[in-house]
Amino acid sequence: MAPASSAPTVDANGKLEKKPISYKNLALGATLNLFEVSTLGQPFEVVKTQLAANRGQSLAEALKTIYSRGGVFGFYQGLIPWAWIEGATKGAVLLFTASEFEYRSLAAGFSPFVAGMIGGMAGGIAQAYSTMGFCTFMKTVEVTRHKSGMCACAKESTFKIAADIFKREGIAGINKGVNAVAVRQCTNWASRFGITRITQESIVRLRYGEGADPKQATAMDKALASITGGALSCWNQPIEVIRVEMQSQVKQEGRPQKMSIATASKWIYKNNGIKGFYRGVLPRIGLGAWQTLCMVALGDYFRQLFGTN
């Protein structure tokens, strides 16, 4: 659900109030997240990861490779349990953190626009360091690890892989690339909040004239603004490619064993140039649009249905 649902408000006396968080909305957000990732969300995620990890492949080659790893089910690698854990928790983490930071920022005198971006940045970082770090890592492991039928590792369960990594490398091992995830989530939500709010205000002005109340925005206006914000926030695709490279299990001669954001950047540029940093951006735009349609359009519908607006 959008953190705006718990954004601070101003009462009749001009006093700043923090709106209470609706636990029904948290449950609804988790349910919609699970629906989103279990339908088109995970296929977009898998294609995006395949292209980012194997930057020499075309889109057609990536789709063929994914299909060879289990047919249609190949497009759902990493769904259970990692994407489900992430989907069931990330909305609540974002909502709690973003609403608190937005309230504190408004109280400190920042404008609603800036306060919203600060809330989004804080919420994105909290997502990364709570559940998204290890879930994103394990999803990437599932997509990029060797699954040839002649390899014994192909038959290992995802839980055994996770246990082996934890035994060998500890907490740091299963959270590999978490700093890149934090940068991605921070810039993602700051961009989505900022671009979406500017776009929505522009749509309202164009449709209803200058000085129109932003509350006049319809569900379609909000959905269009959110899709625009989600798509344009993909400007940070380079950090997403760096994140995938840090977490990838692809073996390549000369590839550094331990990767930081800096070493991963150098490796990508050395092998693929500037274009390498934008591999997988098309399915990521599709993912952002699908997530937005699920969370905004369906979210508004069910909030109205259950009376939790």
Side-chain angles (χ1 to χ4, degrees):
M1 307 315 311
S5 63
S6 61
T9 57
V10 178
D11 65 14
N13 298 319
K15 183 180 178 183
L16 188 67
E17 287 186 329
K18 188 194 297 185
K19 288 177 67 178
I21 290 174
S22 166
Y23 290 97
K24 286 185 179 179
N25 272 344
L26 292 182
L28 179 58
T31 303
L32 289 175
N33 265 312
L34 291 173
F35 169 78
E36 172 269 314
V37 76
S38 300
T39 48
L40 293 179
Q42 191 62 10
F44 275 128
E45 179 73 26
V46 169
V47 175
K48 175 192 72 173
T49 302
Q50 180 70 25
L51 285 168
N54 302 274
R55 292 178 295 279
Q57 288 187 339
S58 65
L59 178 59
E61 289 170 336
L63 294 173
K64 185 178 179 180
T65 300
I66 295 167
Y67 189 80
S68 72
R69 292 161 66 91
V72 174
F73 292 107
F75 290 90
Y76 289 90
Q77 297 168 97
L79 175 65
I80 303 172
W82 313 115
W84 278 4
I85 294 173
E86 181 183 312
T89 58
K90 67 180 182 181
V93 172
L94 178 71
L95 190 60
F96 276 110
T97 310
S99 62
E100 182 65 27
F101 274 81
E102 186 171 5
Y103 171 76
R104 298 292 178 184
S105 299
L106 287 170
F110 289 99
S111 69
F113 173 74
V114 174
M117 290 187 67
I118 292 173
M121 292 170 69
I125 292 172
Q127 283 181 323
Y129 289 111
S130 53
T131 59
M132 283 192 73
F134 75 86
C135 288
T136 301
F137 172 63
M138 286 309 304
K139 287 192 299 180
T140 305
V141 168
E142 282 302 297
V143 175
T144 60
R145 71 184 174 100
H146 188 61
K147 289 188 177 179
S148 168
M150 298 180 66
C151 177
C153 63
K155 299 178 181 178
E156 292 180 340
S157 73
T158 188
F159 297 103
K160 186 177 186 308
I161 295 291
D164 287 346
I165 293 172
F166 181 76
K167 184 177 179 181
R168 187 170 62 250
E169 303 177 48
I171 292 292
I174 61 171
N175 277 281
K176 195 176 295 180
V178 69
N179 291 334
V181 176
V183 174
R184 184 195 71 179
Q185 290 303 106
C186 174
T187 53
N188 263 0
W189 284 109
S191 300
R192 285 178 180 178
F193 277 39
I195 296 171
T196 298
R197 289 183 179 183
I198 290 173
T199 304
Q200 186 171 312
E201 289 172 3
S202 299
I203 291 172
V204 170
R205 282 199 303 270
L206 285 171
R207 289 194 63 185
Y208 308 110
E210 291 292 334
D213 188 346
K215 292 181 180 179
Q216 287 182 265
T218 64
M220 187 59 70
D221 295 334
K222 293 176 182 178
L224 180 59
S226 298
I227 290 171
T228 302
L232 294 182
S233 68
C234 291
W235 65 266
N236 66 357
Q237 180 64 11
I239 193 63
E240 171 66 356
V241 176
I242 291 167
R243 189 275 303 170
V244 171
E245 187 62 42
M246 292 174 71
Q247 298 177 336
S248 175
Q249 303 298 295
V250 172
K251 304 298 181 185
Q252 190 173 348
E253 186 178 349
R255 184 178 184 270
Q257 290 297 311
K258 293 185 177 181
M259 287 223 179
S260 64
I261 291 177
T263 55
S265 301
K266 290 178 182 177
W267 175 253
I268 294 166
Y269 183 77
K270 177 183 176 182
N271 288 275
N272 306 99
I274 293 295
K275 289 183 179 180
F277 289 99
Y278 290 91
R279 296 296 293 154
V281 69
L282 188 60
R284 189 173 175 217
I285 290 173
L287 176 61
W290 178 243
Q291 287 176 332
T292 303
L293 284 172
C294 289
M295 301 309 292
V296 175
L298 288 180
D300 283 348
Y301 172 78
F302 283 111
R303 280 201 303 271
Q304 185 174 2
L305 183 67
F306 298 133
T308 60
N309 278 322

